[in-house]
Amino acid sequence: MIIKLNFGNEHIQYISCATKVGRKINKIRRDFENWIFDENKNKKYWAFENGEKYCPNYDSDAIIEWLNNVKFKKGTAKAKLITVPKSKVKKTLYF
């Protein structure tokens, strides 16, 4: 399933993932947001100011990494970035 990720300011990326994942993407998104904002779990995707963490800084790479290695580490998701969708976008998420 193709999912469009809109990060605002015309920053749009597309990911491909299993249909089973795509159908539940809104619930899965809430799980992702809980993970990305948890300083103890997400150590990689934080922006720093004056040496202090102040907010998550991410794009589709973080979502793909989380889907493949945290949420569905047994191999269900296998999400990947795609540059140009060859099939219809089924869902759009706004961040």
Side-chain angles (χ1 to χ4, degrees):
M1 176 178 281
I2 306 298
I3 299 173
K4 178 179 176 181
L5 305 174
N6 186 332
F7 294 97
N9 295 326
E10 297 182 27
H11 182 74
I12 294 172
Q13 295 179 305
Y14 300 91
I15 64 170
S16 173
C17 64
T19 302
K20 168 176 159 174
V21 174
R23 284 188 198 125
K24 299 177 184 177
I25 199 67
N26 289 318
K27 183 204 178 304
I28 290 170
R29 176 192 176 161
R30 288 187 292 276
D31 294 343
F32 169 76
E33 289 173 340
N34 289 334
W35 175 80
I36 199 78
F37 281 93
D38 186 335
E39 293 181 46
N40 296 318
K41 293 180 182 173
N42 163 30
K43 308 235 185 246
K44 183 176 177 181
Y45 297 103
W46 279 87
F48 288 82
E49 188 172 280
N50 300 325
E52 300 282 324
K53 287 183 189 178
Y54 78 96
C55 71
N57 183 18
Y58 63 93
D59 63 4
S60 63
D61 291 336
I63 296 165
I64 291 167
E65 181 179 328
W66 177 80
L67 281 170
N68 292 340
N69 301 314
V70 177
K71 182 71 175 172
F72 298 105
K73 46 184 163 178
K74 300 268 187 198
T76 306
K78 295 305 172 210
K80 63 182 179 179
L81 180 67
I82 55 174
T83 52
V84 178
K86 293 183 179 171
S87 58
K88 185 178 176 186
V89 172
K90 297 289 186 176
K91 303 235 178 164
T92 301
L93 295 180
Y94 297 90
F95 295 91

